[in-house]
Amino acid sequence: MRTYKIVLLFLLLSVIGCHEKKESTTQNHNKKWYKGNLHTHSYWSDGDEFPEVILDWYKERDYNFMALSDHNTIADEEKWITIKDDSIYQTAFKNYLHKYGEEWVDYQIDSGKTKVKLKTYDEYRNLTEEKSEFLVIRSEEITDKFEDKHIHMNATNIQEKINPMGGSSVVNVIQNNLNQVLNQRKITGEPIMPHINHPNFYYSISLNDMLQLNGERFFEIYNGHPMVHNMGDSINVSTEKMWDLINISYLENNKPIMYGLATDDSHSYHKKGAKWSNAGRGWVMVQADTLSAHALIHALENGNFYSSTGVDLETIEVKEGIFSIAINEEPGVSYKITFIGSKKENSKPIEFKTVTGSKANFEITDDILFVRCKITSSKLQENHIEDLLFEMAWTQPISLINNN
Ligand SMILES: [Zn+2]
Ligand SMILES: [Zn+2]
C-alpha cells in the first residue's frame, strides 16, 4: 500500500488552500515543537566544561532537550578531573563554584592543583531538568576505530554503557555497534536511538559503507565540529549529497528512509570561533506530544522533525500530494527554498524546484522517489564553520513508497 511516510502537522491548516479533500489530513494541535541537541561533550570525556554549566547554557537559550554524549561513558561512575593551569579554566572553575556553591561542588586542592568530582548523569539531570520545559536524555558516543578510521555512533536514551565492539572492516565495526544498541533496545523495551556521527571526520565512513548497513535510520548531515568536513572535498561527497545517495539506494532496496540530523558536537566552551567545536551551531526541532525521551524518539523515527542551523519553520505539511513549507520569517531576511530528491527512473539527486520567499509548495507526482526541502537564509550564521556561511534548515525526506 502506498501511504505517506510522514504527515507532519502544524499550526496552519489553510496553507494549501481549497483543494478538494481526497485524503484525510491528521492535524494535531496538541503537538509542540521541541528544540534539542543530541551530540554534546563535557568533562566526562574531552569537553572542557562541567555538565551542569553546559546544560544551563543550552537551557538559557531555549533548548528543550539535551543529550550529553561523552565518549564511551554514560557518566555513572566516580570521576575526578584536574583543572588545567590555564587561567581560562581556573576562572571557569571559580565561576562554577560561585554559581553552584560549596554545598554542590565536590573538590579538593592538592599540591596547588584543583581536583573536582564530576556529577553523575542522575545528579546533573536532577539538577537541571524542568518538567515540560527541559529534558536531559542519557547518551553515549560509542567511539570505535578500524585501522585509521574513526567510527563514532551516538546512542540516545541508552540504558547501560556499550563498549565499542571493534570488527573486521569499517562496515563491520559500525554494524557491530549498531547491533549492540538495537539489542539493548530489544532487551530493555526502551526506545534507544542510534545515529552515525560525522562520516567525513577523517573521511572515515564512505557512502559505500553507509549503503551496506542494516538498521540505521539516522546520521549527521551537519555537525558543528570544525574537523568533520560536512562539505566534503574534491574526492569525497558532502554529507548532504551522501544523504540523497543513501536514500536513493535505501528506497530502491526496500530499506527505511535515512533521516538527517544537525548537531553541535560541542567540546569547547571557552574558546570561540571557526577552529573550535562550539555550542549552538546545529540542532533538531522535533514535533511531539510531550517532552519525554519516548515521545521525542518516536517523533524522530516518524520523521516529524527538521534540522537547523538557524532557520525556523512554521509549517511542514504533506496534504493531497502537495508538500508545503512556510518559514517563520525574520525581518529583513530572505530565503531560498529548494526541493531536492530523486525520480524513480533516474536514480540521481535532482534539484526539482527553487523558490525565493517565505512559503513554497511542491507537488509529489507518481514519478518521485523522494523529496526533501532545504532552506537557505540570507542571514549569516553567527560562528559558522567551513564555508557554511548562511543559516539553513533541512526537512526530512518524504517518500510515497512505504518501506516500513
Ligand atoms: Zn565523534
Ligand atoms: Zn562527539
Side-chain angles (χ1 to χ4, degrees):
M1 281 295 291
R2 284 183 163 186
T3 55
Y4 285 127
K5 218 156 165 75
I6 56 169
V7 180
L8 295 166
L9 278 184
F10 300 84
L11 303 172
L12 293 184
L13 184 61
S14 57
V15 170
I16 294 167
C18 51
H19 288 261
E20 207 179 280
K21 193 160 184 169
K22 293 175 194 155
E23 295 156 26
S24 67
T25 302
T26 324
Q27 185 168 54
N28 188 338
H29 293 280
N30 297 324
K31 287 184 192 288
K32 280 174 73 174
W33 285 112
Y34 296 108
K35 179 177 181 177
N37 177 33
L38 294 171
H39 192 165
T40 328
H41 295 275
S42 75
Y43 271 141
W44 273 97
S45 59
D46 53 353
D48 66 5
E49 188 51 281
F50 294 94
E52 310 90 295
V53 179
I54 297 165
L55 292 170
D56 279 340
W57 186 94
Y58 281 98
K59 193 156 86 172
E60 283 158 16
R61 283 154 185 83
D62 295 329
Y63 283 72
N64 302 109
F65 65 94
M66 285 296 299
L68 292 193
S69 52
D70 277 301
H71 297 285
N72 295 335
T73 177
I74 56 167
D76 62 350
E77 68 267 20
E78 181 171 332
K79 182 176 166 103
W80 291 77
I81 57 140
T82 303
I83 304 294
K84 286 186 198 157
D85 292 334
D86 189 316
S87 63
I88 292 176
Y89 303 107
Q90 294 291 329
T91 304
F93 171 70
K94 284 190 193 118
N95 292 341
Y96 171 63
L97 186 58
H98 179 72
K99 180 171 180 188
Y100 297 90
E102 296 276 350
E103 290 276 295
W104 174 260
V105 178
D106 199 350
Y107 71 105
Q108 297 169 358
I109 296 173
D110 184 7
S111 317
K113 299 275 184 194
T114 305
K115 296 185 174 182
V116 189
K117 188 180 170 191
L118 297 182
K119 298 300 175 185
T120 62
Y121 167 77
D122 287 331
E123 290 169 325
Y124 66 65
R125 185 195 61 186
N126 288 339
L127 184 77
T128 55
E129 267 195 352
E130 273 180 52
K131 195 169 169 20
S132 307
E133 294 294 330
F134 190 73
L135 176 77
V136 182
I137 308 175
R138 186 170 238 166
S139 181
E140 175 185 349
E141 183 169 11
I142 303 166
T143 307
D144 211 337
K145 271 194 100 172
F146 177 73
E147 296 174 348
D148 61 344
K149 306 296 189 193
H150 298 259
I151 301 166
H152 298 182
M153 174 185 294
N154 272 22
T156 300
N157 198 33
I158 193 166
Q159 305 295 303
E160 279 176 45
K161 179 171 155 14
I162 291 175
N163 291 316
M165 296 291 288
S168 56
S169 65
V170 169
V171 175
N172 188 239
V173 169
I174 305 171
Q175 193 67 53
N176 286 343
N177 290 318
L178 177 58
N179 291 349
Q180 286 293 105
V181 178
L182 298 177
N183 192 42
Q184 188 180 110
R185 179 176 177 143
K186 206 167 153 188
I187 291 167
T188 61
E190 282 289 319
I192 306 170
M193 176 185 147
H195 89 246
I196 292 176
N197 299 335
H198 48 61
N200 285 349
F201 182 51
Y202 293 99
Y203 293 110
S204 294
I205 302 173
S206 70
L207 167 66
N208 194 38
D209 297 326
M210 295 292 286
L211 297 185
Q212 293 175 63
L213 300 175
N214 286 302
E216 183 55 81
R217 310 273 317 272
F218 299 92
F219 86 119
E220 291 176 344
I221 54 161
Y222 175 92
N223 173 303
H225 193 289
M227 290 165 64
V228 299
H229 304 287
N230 294 294
M231 297 180 81
D233 61 14
S234 58
I235 303 164
N236 301 280
V237 291
S238 67
T239 47
E240 198 176 340
K241 181 84 175 282
M242 187 187 276
W243 190 20
D244 292 329
L245 294 168
I246 290 168
N247 277 324
I248 289 170
S249 169
Y250 277 21
L251 288 166
E252 286 176 347
N253 290 287
N254 298 316
K255 291 185 188 180
I257 218 154
M258 178 68 91
Y259 294 128
L261 303 169
T263 68
D264 277 344
D265 199 358
S266 37
H267 291 73
S268 301
Y269 301 92
H270 305 291
K271 295 175 184 170
K272 199 174 162 187
K275 288 195 307 196
W276 306 99
S277 54
N278 296 146
R281 284 185 171 132
W283 58 88
V284 285
M285 294 293 293
V286 183
Q287 205 197 28
D289 301 322
T290 54
L291 185 61
S292 69
H294 282 235
L296 291 169
I297 292 175
H298 182 72
L300 284 155
E301 290 181 340
N302 282 317
N304 291 332
F305 73 102
Y306 66 92
S307 295
S308 180
T309 62
V311 174
D312 192 32
L313 300 183
E314 183 172 81
T315 310
I316 308 170
E317 191 174 59
V318 180
K319 189 179 167 193
E320 296 164 8
I322 308 285
F323 179 13
S324 314
I325 294 289
I327 299 161
N328 271 326
E329 282 181 278
E330 280 189 58
V333 177
S334 67
Y335 301 90
K336 193 177 83 175
I337 304 172
T338 308
F339 293 92
I340 301 163
S342 175
K343 293 202 171 187
K344 286 176 186 165
E345 304 302 325
N346 184 7
S347 310
K348 61 171 199 252
I350 309 167
E351 285 192 10
F352 293 124
K353 179 182 173 182
T354 296
V355 172
T356 303
S358 64
K359 287 179 183 175
N361 291 342
F362 179 79
E363 185 180 356
I364 309 174
T365 47
D366 282 347
D367 58 339
I368 302 283
L369 184 66
F370 73 90
V371 58
R372 64 182 177 84
C373 186
K374 176 185 182 174
I375 300 96
T376 309
S377 161
S378 65
K379 185 178 167 189
L380 287 168
Q381 191 195 16
E382 195 206 326
N383 196 15
H384 73 275
I385 51 157
E386 304 179 25
D387 285 329
L388 298 160
L389 303 182
F390 299 98
E391 292 186 348
M392 289 187 284
W394 300 263
T395 73
Q396 298 309 310
I398 293 163
S399 177
L400 304 190
I401 298 169
N402 185 9
N403 286 341
N404 281 327

